[in-house]
Amino acid sequence: MSSSSTFKLFLLSFILCILFQEHTHALTKTYIVYLGGHSHGPNPSLDDLDSATNSHYDLLASILGSHEKAKEAVMYSYNKHINGFAALLEDEEASKIEKNSNVVSVFLSKEYKLHTTRSWDFLGLEKDGGISLDSAWWTARFGEDSIIANLDSGVWPEHVSFSGTGYGPVPSKWRGNGVCEIDHFITSSNATTFCNRKLIGARIFSKNYEARYGNLNPANLTARDFIGHGTHTLSTAAGCQEADILEAFDHAINDGVDVISTSLGGSNPYVEALFTDGISIGSFHAVAKNVVVVCSAGNDGPGPRTVTNVAPWSFTVAASTIDREFVSQISIGGKHYIKGASLSKGLPSGPSQKIYPMIHSIDARFLNATIQDARYCKPKTLDPTKVKGKILVCTRLDETTSIAQGFEAALAGAIAIFVINDEKSGSILLAEPHPLPGASMDANQDDDIDQREWFGKGGTDNNGTRRMLAYMSTSTTYTGLKPAPVMAGFSSRGPSAVQPLILKPDITAPGVNILAAYSLGVSPSNLPSDPRRIPYNLQQGTSMACPHVAGIVGLLKTLHPSWSSAAIKSAIMTTATTLDNTNQPIRDAFDKISTPFEYGSGHIQPNLAMDPGLVYDLNTTDYLNFICTSTHNQNLLKFFNKTSFTCPEYYNIEDLNYPSITVYNRGLNTINITRTVTNVGPPSTYVAQVQHPEEVKVNVQPSPLTFTEIGEKKTFQVILEVTGVPPSGFPVFGNLRWTNGNHIVSSPIVIL
């Protein structure tokens, strides 16, 4: 990546830091009481904020018996744009509050987990280290005046990626002036010590954390990143307490940000609901203020219905590869070389020793260690007398990192580690900063590295273990890899477990072997025993893909400041591609053709997104209609709209003006759905083109659509007729494209 784009990728950034720890249990627990929206306007006064907070105390006092007890229990009063509070309550008290007619929902503050370069070249923004004249960087003025809030583990502000050199004044819309909570709560008088014209603010939210685990040392009350995740995701664009996250959302909206990037989510998509989930609630209120919220899809793939952050107002991002790899050549038993992903300098090679003995972790286990634990090189399973001086073969335990396994290998005396992908990882190889020479490998490349069937393979020594020798070269960087992108095995899949009729994820972006800034306050392995400190690191996950999209959203915000968040989302989705760089359908890590359940609308194409031709727009009323149908509760709507709103007698979620189309199979009955497109380009005529799902006939009426001015809207119907039963059953997939010869506006079609 060129230095100019590195500095300008996230032109203006606002860090929101959340602390991490495991759950404990107490008599009182942190509950979030959600009350919908506020009656005050978009720019609340101090009196408005005080009034909102006092109303929260009044409500809680009616249960606890006094204002004093209410004030003591409340840790956060969400008094700006989100209406509600977080408080320490007993279960019985929470149940009583839930019965109040003015309460939308009451739920335990759960723990979110983190969904944890060359990528800009691969996305077409740069070419051969430079910026082409038709790049979206130039078109969108490098995202000038766009403010991106990153909800994560903090920032390492001294990193060159956050230098403010060469930047103009902070945008006047920024309302978080003087807040730079890095190292002992920097005050407004010396906030420029760590914040500048690029890193324009930083806040820490830790009350939920401290309520659970005790007060923090003042030195730790800082938005400085001691985990690494926040610095990494921000420069490209344990567990997080939900009450803290919701407070971060409320502040970000109020501070005047344009984009919120959140690379975290819940661990169980089946219990995620629209208004008992902090990210969904925060996103709803942000989008109502025209702030685009970009969320990671999760790293729980490749199983179906694992995608998180599925609200229709959220922009949900999956992860896929780029066309770069870091490769070591590996020879086993003197056979042909096979490929390993690696960041290592290779093994020592001298005139007397070029190859080393290799041992499988199953063969290297202590006698009291189980085969299953030893297979994954878990702590206290490896016998140093068997491992010392050898290359150790382990099976991947975590789909996004294996560095902890590398440390176990080093502790046992291994000279190197080969990490073999498990069944969930497929063929995608991850380059990782192991503490010893190491490589990630695909078991399908060579039988001798496959631990899945280790009995009776190869020759054995007197101890019954296999005799193998191996060699590993120094890592080399290659670009132009084909095919790319490939969907990552870990990337969470659809359909949504909450509402399958909203296709999720929405889009895919680079999320494998992503190089970006890293915190100097933590090792690349995140292990306390690792003394290494590096300014850049490679990481994997949908949390790496999310900030790529947030950065592109920032460009679109600069180029089209009057567009709604839904229009920006549509521009990115409808210009995405479902083809890889060999012009073939995108495949997954298991060499199967991917579907919209994996990549949504496809792989992001930033340059095309700047000029999409047509967009599918949505507003708050559309989302309220969606809520009507989802909750069947007319009374609920009074909490979200200051004016009266009546749910329509009939509303079909399939008609939500979403850029993708998902419907239920109704047998041989015809399915009619409606969409409306808005022209954002010059006068033109668009013609519909359809890729029919298997055993489904699709008819679009009317077609063509002729537009004479910018902003003109046209409504059309998509008529789907199931003509038979597909050989593999449902779901089946198709595509609708509107084209005028210069633009292609594409929408996936899914029949469930």
Side-chain angles (χ1 to χ4, degrees):
M1 185 188 298
S2 70
S3 60
S4 62
S5 61
T6 300
F7 293 152
K8 295 178 179 178
L9 171 56
F10 285 102
L11 189 64
L12 297 167
S13 302
F14 170 44
I15 314 301
L16 302 166
C17 177
I18 298 93
L19 294 177
F20 307 92
Q21 187 67 296
E22 295 180 357
H23 276 303
T24 59
H25 298 279
L27 181 63
T28 59
K29 305 170 186 175
T30 302
Y31 277 91
I32 295 173
V33 180
Y34 179 49
L35 306 171
H38 288 287
S39 59
H40 57 238
N43 299 307
S45 66
L46 290 177
D47 287 342
D48 290 331
L49 300 181
D50 288 341
S51 176
T53 296
N54 285 330
S55 71
H56 298 158
Y57 293 152
D58 289 343
L59 173 59
L60 189 54
S62 69
I63 302 297
L64 301 185
S66 72
H67 268 249
E68 289 71 24
K69 290 182 179 179
K71 289 180 179 179
E72 184 179 345
V74 171
M75 65 176 64
Y76 288 122
S77 171
Y78 307 125
N79 59 6
K80 299 172 181 63
H81 301 275
I82 301 166
N83 189 2
F85 57 89
L88 286 171
L89 302 171
E90 296 181 9
D91 294 342
E92 184 178 354
E93 294 166 341
S95 297
K96 290 180 180 179
I97 296 174
E98 192 172 23
K99 296 175 183 177
N100 190 299
S101 61
N102 292 318
V103 172
V104 176
S105 59
V106 178
F107 53 98
L108 277 171
S109 174
K110 55 184 174 289
E111 188 174 79
Y112 289 128
K113 58 182 180 180
L114 299 170
H115 292 156
T116 165
T117 142
R118 167 73 183 175
S119 53
W120 298 114
D121 293 64
F122 184 58
L123 293 177
L125 289 171
E126 300 180 10
K127 185 177 182 181
D128 300 326
I131 303 174
S132 59
L133 293 178
D134 60 349
S135 169
W137 287 126
W138 293 114
T139 305
R141 305 190 307 280
F142 291 90
E144 182 179 45
D145 287 343
S146 287
I147 304 174
I148 299 176
N150 192 54
L151 276 62
D152 215 301
S153 60
V155 66
W156 195 261
E158 296 89 349
H159 200 287
V160 67
S161 292
F162 307 119
S163 168
T165 303
Y167 284 82
V170 173
S172 59
K173 62 187 174 184
W174 173 244
R175 295 189 294 270
N177 296 330
V179 182
C180 189
E181 297 175 349
I182 297 177
D183 297 352
H184 304 290
F185 276 60
I186 303 300
T187 63
S188 58
S189 61
N190 60 352
T192 54
T193 304
F194 293 115
C195 294
N196 52 49
R197 290 182 172 185
K198 181 177 184 179
L199 179 62
I200 63 175
R203 295 182 186 269
I204 177 174
F205 302 98
S206 60
K207 289 182 179 179
N208 192 176
Y209 173 93
E210 293 185 86
R212 287 177 180 269
Y213 314 114
N215 293 336
L216 287 170
N217 185 309
N220 294 328
L221 283 170
T222 176
R224 182 176 291 280
D225 184 10
F226 291 105
I227 292 180
H229 192 271
T231 297
H232 196 286
T233 59
L234 184 70
S235 73
T236 60
C240 244
Q241 303 304 320
E242 189 170 26
D244 295 333
I245 289 289
L246 202 54
E247 178 76 349
F249 264 105
D250 206 23
H251 275 275
I253 300 166
N254 195 61
D255 284 342
V257 306
D258 299 295
V259 187
I260 295 176
S261 176
T262 172
S263 292
L264 37 86
S267 59
N268 187 349
Y270 287 90
V271 300
E272 181 181 329
L274 296 177
F275 294 116
T276 57
D277 178 78
I279 292 178
S280 175
I281 291 170
S283 299
F284 178 85
H285 289 276
V287 170
K289 302 299 180 183
N290 207 28
V291 177
V292 183
V293 181
V294 186
C295 303
S296 49
N299 300 331
D300 295 318
R305 297 179 179 84
T306 51
V307 63
T308 62
N309 299 322
V310 296
W313 41 83
S314 300
F315 199 175
T316 312
V317 186
S320 46
T321 66
I322 61 175
D323 65 341
R324 177 186 62 193
E325 59 181 355
F326 304 91
V327 176
S328 287
Q329 300 298 328
I330 296 169
S331 177
I332 298 177
K335 297 184 293 185
H336 61 279
Y337 282 102
I338 58 177
K339 182 172 69 175
S342 175
L343 300 175
S344 302
K345 294 181 178 180
L347 292 170
S349 178
S352 61
Q353 190 171 29
K354 293 182 180 294
I355 56 177
Y356 293 82
M358 185 175 79
I359 187 169
H360 286 256
S361 58
I362 293 174
D363 295 327
R365 73 188 189 279
F366 284 116
L367 293 178
N368 63 348
T370 67
I371 290 177
Q372 185 72 354
D373 285 350
R375 179 190 184 203
Y376 298 114
C377 295
K378 290 186 177 181
K380 300 180 181 180
T381 62
L382 301 174
D383 186 344
T385 63
K386 300 176 182 178
V387 175
K388 187 175 182 180
K390 297 183 178 70
I391 299 171
L392 181 68
V393 179
C394 299
T395 298
R396 180 173 295 279
L397 178 61
D398 187 301
E399 271 65 62
T400 60
T401 181
S402 65
I403 304 174
Q405 293 170 285
F407 264 84
E408 292 301 318
L411 287 173
I415 194 170
I417 183 171
F418 292 162
V419 180
I420 311 305
N421 280 358
D422 67 352
E423 294 83 355
K424 293 183 179 181
S425 300
S427 61
I428 291 180
L429 305 181
L430 308 182
E432 302 176 88
H434 285 287
L436 74 172
S440 172
M441 302 168 69
D442 179 5
N444 294 319
Q445 294 183 94
D446 192 292
D447 288 342
D448 283 331
I449 60 171
D450 189 356
Q451 294 201 96
R452 290 173 295 186
E453 299 177 9
W454 66 280
F455 291 103
K457 292 176 57 179
T460 60
D461 59 20
N462 293 333
N463 294 322
T465 58
R466 286 168 284 169
R467 297 191 303 267
M468 289 175 285
L469 298 174
Y471 170 76
M472 174 179 138
S473 71
T474 298
S475 175
T476 303
T477 303
Y478 294 95
T479 59
L481 176 69
K482 294 183 178 180
V486 174
M487 294 307 303
F490 60 76
S491 187
S492 292
R493 268 66 167 172
S496 163
V498 176
Q499 178 46 266
L501 291 175
I502 303 298
L503 177 63
K504 292 288 178 171
D506 292 307
I507 200 79
T508 188
V512 177
N513 293 334
I514 302 302
L515 177 66
Y518 198 70
S519 171
L520 293 179
V522 67
S523 69
S525 66
N526 240 311
L527 296 173
S529 57
D530 186 353
R532 296 174 297 165
R533 297 295 184 270
I534 56 176
Y536 295 93
N537 195 12
L538 282 179
Q539 289 191 312
Q540 345 288 333
T542 55
S543 57
M544 306 299 119
C546 176
H548 280 91
V549 176
I552 305 309
V553 169
L555 295 179
L556 279 161
K557 274 283 189 179
T558 295
L559 185 60
H560 304 290
S562 64
W563 283 14
S564 70
S565 58
I568 288 176
K569 181 176 173 180
S570 173
I572 293 174
M573 291 174 64
T574 59
T575 57
T577 181
T578 60
L579 302 178
D580 60 27
N581 58 2
T582 68
N583 209 36
Q584 296 298 310
I586 294 174
R587 305 185 79 85
D588 64 16
F590 312 96
D591 201 31
K592 297 179 180 178
I593 293 178
S594 295
T595 75
F597 287 158
E598 294 166 83
Y599 53 60
S601 292
H603 187 260
I604 189 170
Q605 299 190 104
N607 293 333
L608 294 180
M610 299 299 117
D611 179 23
L614 304 174
V615 295
Y616 294 86
D617 208 355
L618 287 163
N619 56 36
T620 303
T621 298
D622 295 308
Y623 294 132
L624 292 175
N625 285 332
F626 172 84
I627 294 169
C628 285
T629 305
S630 299
T631 65
H632 307 286
N633 188 347
Q634 170 69 51
N635 186 55
L636 183 68
L637 272 298
K638 71 180 181 182
F639 301 115
F640 298 102
N641 203 314
K642 294 188 293 292
T643 61
S644 60
F645 181 89
T646 303
C647 288
E649 291 186 10
Y650 174 77
Y651 182 81
N652 186 357
I653 289 180
E654 295 169 345
D655 288 330
L656 182 71
N657 204 42
Y658 213 68
S660 56
I661 298 171
T662 306
V663 300
Y664 283 123
N665 168 36
R666 299 185 178 92
L668 298 181
N669 295 323
T670 299
I671 306 166
N672 286 27
I673 66 157
T674 301
R675 288 291 188 273
T676 299
V677 286
T678 303
N679 182 41
V680 294
S684 189
T685 296
Y686 286 82
V687 177
Q689 298 176 345
V690 175
Q691 176 189 340
H692 298 269
E694 195 172 19
E695 298 294 341
V696 177
K697 181 181 178 181
V698 181
N699 185 23
V700 181
Q701 296 179 355
S703 176
L705 299 176
T706 298
F707 299 88
T708 59
E709 58 184 4
I710 291 179
E712 185 177 2
K713 298 179 182 292
K714 296 282 187 180
T715 298
F716 62 91
Q717 280 195 323
V718 180
I719 304 166
L720 304 103
E721 180 183 353
V722 177
T723 58
V725 179
S728 299
F730 291 93
V732 291
F733 308 95
N735 187 270
L736 166 63
R737 306 198 311 174
W738 289 102
T739 179
N740 64 354
N742 294 320
H743 300 89
I744 296 176
V745 185
S746 182
S747 296
I749 299 173
V750 181
I751 315 293
L752 296 173

